[in-house]
Amino acid sequence: MTRPILIAALALAPAMANAQELVTRNRVGLPDAPNTLTFRLTAYDLYSSDPATSEAFEEMFRDFIEARPDWKIETQLQTGNIGQEQARLLQQTRAGRGPDCAMIDSSQLATFRDAGVLQPMNAVFSDEDVADLFPYVREAVTDEAGNVLAWWWFTDLRVLYRDTSVVPEAPQTWEDTREAALAAVEAGKEGILFNGGRWEGTAFDWLGNFWAQGGRLVDDEGGPVFAEGENRAKFLEAVAYYQDLVESGAAPRRVTSITDYDAFNAAAAAGTAAMFVGGNWQYGQMRNTLDPEAFENWEVSELPGPTADQRATGTGGWSIAALSDDPEKAELCGEIGKEIYAGPGNAFQGLLPTSEATYDEYDAYDGPEFDLFAEALQNGVARPGAAIYPEISNQIQILLGNVLSGTSTPEEALDAAASAVQAAYDRQ
Amino acid sequence: MTTTVERAPNDGHPAPWLAPAVLVLAVFYAVPVLDVARLAFSDATLIEPATGFSTQALRAILGNPALPQVLGTTVLFVAVNVLALQVAGLAIALLIVRGERRELPGMAAFRTLVLAAWVVPGIANGLIWQILFDEAPYGTLNSLLGYAGLGPVAWLSDPQMALVSAVIANLWQGTAFSMIVFYAARRGIDPTLYEVADLDGAGPVRTFRSITLPLMRRAIAVNTVLVSVQTLNTFDSILALTGGGPGRATEVLSLFTFNTVFYNLDLAGGSVLALMLFALGMALTLLIGWLNRGEARA
């Protein structure tokens, strides 16, 4: 009985080995395929540390490349240090040493576009595809001539998470939030947590409070205006909101040391926090890590505004773009975005698609939380498409750290930030 | 038949022997430094290449209001670390030598344990200490302090304490290096001297002051130079631990350089700061060398 099994296994072995070799740690496709596309991707999908995710993407990439036997994709992995990686990618591309196709963080798209390194992928995306994108996404990925310079394939947003056993009703305003958080502190919890340390998440999560009042970071030419005129007052109001949360004890002082979203998951798992400002993707993470009973207590709502009618939330996500001027390679890059990431890849990971049609196409988006996310996205604001944004973000991180730790007053900190950003802008 | 006289390698001109080393140093060290100097006097950014000579970056960096604070933090961070690394390294080295002399079990394991911290990458070191310093109600160190009726301590959220925490993290990782240097130096001291001191009735403090310390001065000088430059260039563990925050409380010069290049995309400005780091490192080395010139000749 064992002998026929062994013979069958030996006969199948080469075929199985061949199938496995189609996706390796640095290649998708057969090694001797005549055409090569170099692709710099992130570690969140094909090479994810989560086996289920990497297996699902391996299958998608395998199907993709089997339909294109003349091609192989040489993969290059980006590290998690987004700012550094994206700066390096831009530098290499400018020097002619960049990959043919790459994942570009949505906040960096404008920098790449202004540098003139993005190649059109018009052959892949129809006018209908483009028209179906959310407006802020469409604006970011197309140029004035209507060329599709990148495909922003998923977006994300910031929401308020709350433990309904402590905070039953979703706070609608900043004042509601403060009161709910103080009541939670009375009940022995940390009232509200948010990113306040030195990293991009701090600036981005807080910016919703500035944008909710109609504040603008840059003008139409990309020059910094956040500390001028009406923007200045709105900026200071938003800083005062966070400062008041900390000084009143509604938020613990430790927020100035929080530099990742995992800290909120940990607090939710430990049952020590009543509310936190987090990303939509954390909903799925919490569902997978918390006890079902504990998870039932957690709900999401839109970020509170200065008034219930003034709302905004920062929207991020990743895009895929062709950096090679070879039209065939640009087309293949677009096809990877369209056939893998924007559709089944998004649905598998539960990421928020950037086009309305995808929500209807996949059952993965049937959960009630996606209705809330879709609603909140109506108030979504993307980071400005200006090369000065990274420095504005850096200065906001410094400003919030100084104000929340009591080192500076909001006015002093804003003046210092405005001066530093202007100096950097003058040098660009 | 002619007779050839064999010459020793050092009889002739040294150039052929030095050439490979000079070549390697030139290619891997001098050329990059010269390139950084070229970029410092240009208008290069990460987006646009240099278009010509310019002192604008130099003026912008020197006039940056954040620079004095960053330099102050750097001086404090380096000075405290260098002092603490010497004391901790020396103490552990002497402890191990003493333990080995008395044939105490576990000395090799202890040495390995100290060395284990040294091989941890800076980023990992920062992350490890970030977990330990976590100020959440379930944070490791604060929970331990809580059991003893102490704390909680604002390890990372208080600007002054955050710098102390950064020093502790660097100290934990860097002590092993000092320990190796001092351990080797201490083992090199003739044991007869200690036997004589013992016979003369010298106590441990007197022995340390009159034998160990004088004979280890050269090692201390060398170690001071090495750990000073090493600490001056430290940025990965701080990046992972605090990112330079809260505010700029833990932003040292090397991290400021990194931020200038990768946030501002200002390659010329970053190059000016890199040259500043290079100059500071060189000045520290020369100063320590000059202060210890007598020891070097000893």
Side-chain angles (χ1 to χ4, degrees), chain A residues 84 87 90-91 94 111 115 190 198 253-254 256-257 259 263 266-267 270 272 390-391 395 398 401-402 405 407 427-428, chain B residues 46-48 56-57 60 130 134-138 156-157 159 242-245 247-248 251 258-259 262-264 266 268-269:
Chain A
Q84 186 185 0
L90 181 59
Q91 192 188 26
R94 290 297 303 250
T111 308
E190 291 184 309
R198 189 87 184 266
R253 288 208 178 267
R254 79 174 179 98
T256 58
S257 67
T259 52
T272 54
E391 179 56 13
Q395 291 300 329
I398 294 167
N402 284 337
S405 63
T407 310
R427 295 254 315 109
Q428 281 187 349
Chain B
L46 274 188
I47 304 170
E48 298 292 338
Q56 202 194 350
Q130 194 188 41
D134 189 353
E135 293 172 39
Y138 42 82
L156 300 174
S157 61
T242 63
R248 286 196 192 275
E251 190 166 9
F258 175 88
N259 287 336
F262 291 112
Y263 275 107
N264 285 359
D266 185 356

Side-chain angles (χ1 to χ4, degrees), chain A residues 37 61 64 67-68 71 73 101 121 123-125 151 320 322 327-344:
Chain A
L37 177 93
F61 268 96
F64 181 86
R68 297 162 181 82
W71 284 92
I73 303 167
C101 176
M121 301 189 293
V124 181
F125 300 101
W151 197 252
I320 186 169
E328 283 191 20
K329 289 183 176 180
E331 189 175 338
L332 192 71
C333 183
E335 286 168 353
I336 292 173
K338 187 174 187 175
E339 294 181 27
I340 296 177
Y341 286 96

